[in-house]
Amino acid sequence: MSTTKYPYAFATLTLLFIVSVFINVNVGSINIPFSDIWHSFTNPTLVDKNYQYIITQYRFPKTITSILTGIGLGVSGLLMQTFFRNPLAGPFVLGISSGASLGVALMIMGGSLLGISSFLHYFSIPLAACLGAFLVLSVVMISAKKIKNILSILIIGLMFGSFTTAMISILSYFSTATELQQYIFWSFGSLSNLQWSEIALLTAIVSFSCFGLLFIIKPLDALLLGENYAKSLGISISKTQTFIFIITSLLTGSITAFVGPIAFIGLAIPHISKLIFTTSNHRILIPAVAIIGALVMLWCDTISHIPLSGKNLPINAITSLLGAPVVIWLLLFKSNRIHS
Amino acid sequence: MKTIILQTTQLAIGYKQGKKTLPICEHIDLKIHQGELLCLLGRNGSGKSTLLKTLANMIPALEGTLQINQNAYTDLSTKNFAKNIAVVLTESLPENSLTVYETIALGRQPYTNWLGTITTKDQEIVKNAMKLTSTHDLQSQYIHQLSDGQLQRVMIARALAQDTPIILLDEPTSHLDIHHKLNIFKILQKISKETQKTILISTHEINLALKTSDRLMLIHKNLITLGKVDEEIVQNKLKDIFNSQDIHYDAKTRQFIF
């Protein structure tokens, strides 16, 4: 796409985004008419009481969570791909989501194993998830300093995935039925269990991270030429790394904590965006990834809420159904451009 | 008297492996002048890349000091350093969708604001860099579509756009055919003449180096010799390094014959 077409592309995406928000609020076990959705923005007194309740207490929170999740995971994926110079990098592949899961598992199920009464404070799960994400990301980044081969780094990420799975099975073995159930439900992923206060916290974290992103657009562009060229252009690699580090752990950690481990979005969204915009320029790519991420998550959520025998599909199943083919397609048709 | 732009005193280069140091060359005293075209020659494994990387501040010196315009490397910030030395490296670029223009414009990073905005002045400099390297016609192509020769010209343009008094190039003509090799050397010669930049090329192209460079830097058996092509010491060293039963140096025509 040539530079002159970017404004049109963004306008189209914004339009699609608005339509998707309406459809997302509309679809569910009860279909809410579009006019009521519109009125709930403009004049809430016109809206049916029951609809109003569903919209404000259930549908809107879910819609906003979907948007935040799409933005956050997409952006983390983009940062990982640029930093590790690998199209297959992403929070899930590199084991960062697994780290967050381990943090949550320790929080929910670790109590009985360690003999401490678990105090499930309001912020303790997000905090544990962020710490878990932070821990794994630091190990992956330290390994990246030592090992220059990027494939090995991906393998280290995968190993972390298996390691955390093992740890979680041990934890589940020793935990009580209620704790286990709580963890399993968390791991399915759900965009619809958040309170408004939790959404406020998530919004704050995502906005803070996106603000931080502004400061690394320039170094990210330089990193497109590789670390040595970036350094020769006056970029401080360690400072940039710390920035990417904090932003990714915050985003992946908090999103994983609130909505569960969501697969493939972090990997697939940057690719879809790069395909549409055919650019590597982060000033274009970051907003593109944010809006496309939000769009895709909205649709994943909408699909998962299409009433089929009165049950919702787990969101993780939907994202994997979408994401896995994208990865296969990447390997099949773009493999000549994937360097190791 | 020529101005000295780059100077090393008692420099030792090599690698650190844990606590052990593995020096390749020690006690290096070099004085490199403004505006000269230098070629760095030596056999494989002689330490050409190590020397170049040390001069580019990509690996630390084991001992001694390095100065640009009498400022020690250690006193220069990364950003200031980037305004003094630009590099063209051998490593392949990561997969990306940068256009030629965007790639060359990245060379402006040490001068642009925190968002990396390209001003009209930057555009002017980029345009000039494209002119000197004849990359103007390629500007809207993606760099992954380029041939090796074109890509090398783009990377040279990017280094030019960085607007530094010194450009270091690590084997810029490997994988190129004879036409493109000549072309790159000609471009570099033109740049050094027109812009008064100091250009240091590490290369295996002995004959091209002999013809184009103002001075030669020879690295052999842990020793570095720097001098004009016709100086006896350089001539002897050349024979020392490269002469064998398969190849010999012909002093009259100033080339190696094989």
Side-chain angles (χ1 to χ4, degrees):
Chain A
M1 187 187 294
S2 68
T3 348
T4 47
K5 286 187 186 148
Y6 292 154
Y8 299 108
F10 276 113
T12 315
L13 284 172
T14 313
L15 205 72
L16 272 174
F17 173 75
I18 294 167
V19 173
S20 308
V21 167
F22 272 88
I23 294 174
N24 185 265
V25 179
N26 163 265
V27 173
S29 47
I30 295 166
N31 266 335
I32 297 178
F34 286 111
S35 58
D36 282 304
I37 302 171
W38 176 250
H39 285 137
S40 69
F41 282 116
T42 51
N43 191 355
T45 49
L46 290 179
V47 187
D48 180 288
K49 275 266 156 55
N50 290 326
Y51 284 167
Q52 180 68 11
Y53 183 79
I54 295 173
I55 291 174
T56 56
Q57 294 307 310
Y58 187 71
R59 298 280 167 89
F60 269 176
K62 182 170 74 70
T63 305
I64 294 170
T65 312
S66 308
I67 295 169
L68 292 172
T69 307
I71 295 175
L73 291 181
V75 166
S76 317
L78 178 66
L79 291 184
M80 295 287 96
Q81 287 174 11
T82 302
F83 186 77
F84 289 107
R85 301 175 296 284
N86 192 300
L88 284 177
F92 211 82
V93 181
L94 288 171
I96 299 158
S97 302
S98 314
S101 301
L102 183 60
V104 173
L106 274 171
M107 210 62 216
I108 297 178
M109 306 189 291
S112 49
L113 178 67
L114 301 168
I116 318 161
S117 60
S118 54
F119 53 101
L120 285 179
H121 184 259
Y122 186 61
F123 289 131
S124 57
I125 288 190
L127 192 70
C130 281
L131 282 177
F134 201 74
L135 190 79
V136 173
L137 191 56
S138 35
V139 176
V140 174
M141 284 208 170
I142 291 166
S143 344
K145 279 271 142 207
K146 292 226 165 218
I147 313 162
K148 289 292 166 201
N149 184 344
I150 294 152
L151 267 183
S152 313
I153 294 164
L154 292 185
I155 293 171
I156 290 177
L158 286 176
M159 290 302 107
F160 258 103
S162 336
F163 181 77
T164 47
T165 316
M167 288 293 285
I168 290 166
S169 0
I170 295 174
L171 281 171
S172 10
Y173 190 76
F174 288 103
S175 65
T176 64
T178 5
E179 287 170 343
L180 188 60
Q181 196 188 28
Q182 199 187 350
Y183 177 77
I184 298 281
F185 274 116
W186 172 83
S187 69
F188 281 150
S190 169
L191 297 162
S192 39
N193 289 338
L194 269 72
Q195 308 293 316
W196 275 110
S197 55
E198 291 169 316
I199 290 175
L201 179 68
L202 196 58
T203 311
I205 292 174
V206 173
S207 327
F208 173 78
S209 308
C210 288
F211 178 72
L213 273 178
L214 284 177
F215 296 94
I216 49 169
I217 286 178
K218 190 174 160 178
L220 282 174
D221 278 345
L223 275 170
L224 292 172
L225 296 177
E227 216 170 275
N228 280 330
Y229 274 120
K231 230 161 130 187
S232 85
L233 283 166
I235 299 302
S236 159
I237 301 291
S238 57
K239 222 199 265 169
T240 311
Q241 184 176 340
T242 316
F243 244 93
I244 294 179
F245 196 93
I246 293 171
I247 292 175
T248 320
S249 331
L250 268 179
L251 284 175
T252 317
S254 61
I255 289 169
T256 310
F258 285 125
V259 305
I262 304 283
F264 287 112
I265 289 296
L267 174 63
I269 298 299
H271 282 295
I272 299 172
S273 314
K274 285 173 194 168
L275 203 76
I276 295 176
F277 282 84
T278 57
T279 183
S280 289
N281 186 341
H282 287 85
R283 246 202 268 194
I284 303 295
L285 264 189
I286 291 173
V289 163
I291 194 161
I292 292 170
L295 252 177
V296 170
M297 261 335 264
L298 277 174
W299 277 101
C300 286
D301 180 62
T302 307
I303 293 167
S304 83
H305 281 85
I306 290 174
L308 293 166
S309 64
K311 294 222 164 157
N312 300 332
L313 297 167
I315 188 72
N316 233 333
I318 311 284
T319 56
S320 301
L321 282 177
L322 172 94
V326 171
V327 177
I328 294 170
W329 167 82
L330 253 176
L331 289 169
L332 280 179
F333 298 106
K334 295 187 81 190
S335 56
N336 54 335
R337 285 182 55 199
I338 297 174
H339 308 294
S340 59
Chain B
M1 187 69 192
K2 283 179 179 160
T3 333
I4 293 165
I5 187 131
L6 189 67
Q7 186 171 9
T8 71
T9 356
Q10 289 297 301
L11 175 71
I13 58 166
Y15 286 94
K16 274 183 189 154
Q17 212 171 54
K19 278 181 186 166
K20 267 199 299 190
T21 53
L22 306 166
I24 293 174
C25 252
E26 287 171 302
H27 313 294
I28 310 168
D29 291 313
L30 296 172
K31 288 190 173 78
I32 295 170
H33 303 141
Q34 194 195 335
E36 69 176 333
L37 181 77
L38 286 159
C39 283
L40 172 60
L41 292 169
R43 286 190 180 182
N44 280 335
S46 57
K48 288 198 309 289
S49 276
T50 315
L51 177 62
L52 208 77
K53 279 183 188 157
T54 314
L55 292 177
N57 207 14
M58 275 155 47
I59 53 174
L62 296 180
E63 261 172 64
T65 52
L66 292 129
Q67 292 171 307
I68 305 173
N69 280 327
Q70 275 141 37
N71 298 310
Y73 276 24
T74 43
D75 294 340
L76 289 167
S77 67
T78 2
K79 201 170 173 181
N80 258 327
F81 191 85
K83 290 179 183 173
N84 280 293
I85 291 187
V87 291
V88 175
L89 304 168
T90 36
E91 61 187 38
S92 57
L93 298 173
E95 120 114 36
N96 63 43
S97 311
L98 284 171
T99 62
V100 166
Y101 187 88
E102 286 172 328
T103 309
I104 300 173
L106 278 177
R108 296 305 299 159
Q109 279 220 352
Y111 307 91
T112 53
N113 64 3
W114 61 283
L115 266 173
T117 316
I118 297 291
T119 63
T120 29
K121 192 193 159 212
D122 294 320
Q123 283 174 0
E124 209 50 51
I125 292 168
V126 170
K127 221 187 239 172
N128 205 26
M130 291 195 293
K131 210 173 109 195
L132 273 167
T133 50
S134 342
T135 46
H136 205 274
D137 297 337
L138 305 172
Q139 60 172 314
S140 49
Q141 286 193 39
Y142 290 107
I143 52 171
H144 61 76
Q145 298 171 325
L146 301 179
S147 70
D148 285 340
Q150 289 172 327
L151 181 64
Q152 210 52 268
R153 278 186 354 238
V154 170
M155 294 320 281
I156 292 171
R158 191 211 57 85
L160 272 175
Q162 211 173 322
D163 199 16
T164 55
I166 303 166
I167 299 178
L168 305 176
L169 302 101
D170 194 6
E171 296 187 27
T173 58
S174 48
H175 342 280
L176 298 187
D177 64 39
I178 186 78
H179 290 285
H180 288 94
K181 278 183 178 152
L182 258 168
N183 177 251
I184 295 286
F185 268 87
K186 272 194 175 153
I187 287 173
L188 291 171
Q189 213 174 11
K190 189 168 97 183
I191 292 169
S192 109
K193 271 199 191 116
E194 286 182 20
T195 61
Q196 279 302 298
K197 286 178 194 297
T198 303
I199 297 176
L200 173 59
I201 314 162
S202 102
T203 181
H204 286 296
E205 297 307 315
I206 334 171
N207 287 338
L208 279 171
L210 288 169
K211 288 213 165 74
T212 47
S213 54
D214 297 316
R215 286 199 295 169
L216 285 179
M217 201 188 276
L218 304 171
I219 181 164
H220 186 52
K221 290 185 180 156
N222 311 332
L223 278 174
I224 293 179
T225 319
L226 177 61
K228 285 215 160 68
V229 181
D230 47 14
E231 279 175 55
E232 206 183 328
I233 177 167
V234 173
Q235 299 270 325
N236 288 337
K237 199 78 187 180
L238 275 174
K239 286 180 200 156
D240 213 24
I241 303 176
F242 297 107
N243 267 7
S244 73
Q245 56 198 24
D246 300 324
I247 178 169
H248 74 274
Y249 182 67
D250 180 50
K252 251 187 215 155
T253 55
R254 276 203 202 164
Q255 60 179 341
F256 278 86
I257 291 167
F258 43 88

